[in-house]
Amino acid sequence: MELDIDDLTPRERSRIVKSAVTPRPIAWISTVDEEGADNLAPFSSYNYVSSSRPVVLFNSPTGDAGGLKDTARNALVTGEFAVNVVTEPHLEQMDHTSAPVPANESEFDLASVRRAECRRIDAPRVADAAVTMECTLYDSISIHDRLMVLGVVQYFHVAAEVLTDDEIDMTKLETVGRLGGPYYTVATPGTFKRRF
Ligand SMILES: Cc1cc2nc3c(=O)[nH]c(=O)nc-3n(C[C@H](O)[C@H](O)[C@H](O)COP(=O)(O)O)c2cc1C
């Protein structure tokens, strides 16, 4: 199939991009609003930008009529968010937290996710996450109908179970990724290893 972008509907373009850019990592993002109501939701339009001075990004629709999603709004208003890494035991709970619920209803409670306090920010984190990165807002950039939110990582929490000799061991970290359509995948390192 050969497809010129100009011949495709927005939905068709979106389907192809979301199937081609796979598997995508999932940021399970916890935030808090000005009133202290916490929020938790998954974002797979997510990655890191720099690593030695780590900056991560996620993006969300600007939602002209309905406004921003709670996560993006809270990150902008409070200047803080935490990225929790999703591993296989949390797959169903993570999916549950994508349900559209009113801003004053917590997805932590909805999906029975245990909270813990962060060290450097007021947002809660997922207590049982294998890795959490506490972030402060770096910047936000509008791109077409999306808002890209960038955060500077200020603090890492890493569970002992995923460590070998004090480093994260990818054979112990069963990261969940998102595929096209309704599908997820779980990372298991292959036998072929990077050579260069
Ligand atoms: C695996 C997964 C990945 C998602 N990725 C995104 C994303 O990158 N951007 C986005 O706007 N919504 C994404 N969503 C949908 C949001 O999680 C959903 O709209 C959620 O209700 C937003 O919650 P909030 O309003 O509390 O922020 C994703 C959902 C799932 C299940």
Side-chain angles (χ1 to χ4, degrees):
M1 219 166 38
E2 304 290 325
L3 302 162
D4 189 314
I5 196 88
D6 294 335
D7 300 331
L8 298 170
T9 64
R11 188 168 174 277
E12 287 168 336
R13 296 172 192 162
S14 180
R15 270 194 79 125
I16 296 171
V17 169
K18 288 178 177 177
S19 296
V21 184
T22 51
R24 290 190 297 284
I26 301 172
W28 204 9
I29 302 183
S30 43
T31 54
V32 68
D33 71 12
E34 323 86 288
E35 313 293 323
D38 62 35
N39 197 89
L40 180 65
F43 289 78
S44 63
S45 184
Y46 154 68
N47 221 305
Y48 76 86
V49 181
S50 57
S51 57
S52 59
R53 293 195 298 164
V55 171
V56 295
L57 69 85
F58 69 95
N59 89 62
S60 184
T62 41
D64 297 330
L68 287 170
K69 293 188 182 184
D70 297 337
T71 303
R73 190 193 154 278
N74 291 350
L76 294 187
V77 171
T78 64
E80 299 177 343
F81 62 93
V83 173
N84 303 278
V85 168
V86 182
T87 49
E88 193 165 23
H90 285 134
L91 174 50
E92 286 190 38
Q93 283 173 301
M94 173 279 292
D95 188 74
H96 198 174
T97 62
S98 72
V101 294
N104 60 357
E105 224 173 275
S106 174
E107 294 88 351
F108 276 94
D109 298 330
L110 180 77
S112 306
V113 178
R114 282 199 327 123
R115 300 170 175 80
E117 284 186 5
C118 281
R119 288 288 180 91
R120 299 278 293 272
I121 64 174
D122 288 333
R125 63 189 171 95
V126 173
D128 304 312
V131 182
T132 300
M133 298 181 281
E134 298 184 18
C135 303
T136 53
L137 187 68
Y138 177 81
D139 205 348
S140 63
I141 301 169
S142 286
I143 302 173
H144 300 306
D145 58 346
R146 314 287 294 189
L147 187 72
M148 184 165 83
V149 180
L150 298 126
V152 181
V153 179
Q154 304 287 359
Y155 200 93
F156 293 109
H157 301 261
V158 184
E161 303 87 76
V162 300
L163 295 175
T164 300
D165 298 333
D166 287 341
E167 291 201 327
I168 294 181
D169 180 342
M170 265 325 290
T171 65
K172 296 180 176 176
L173 186 65
E174 294 175 313
T175 327
V176 171
R178 189 172 179 194
L179 302 176
Y183 302 108
Y184 291 108
T185 185
V186 179
T188 317
T191 48
F192 181 82
K193 294 184 186 145
R194 183 182 167 175
R195 280 181 296 189
F196 308 106

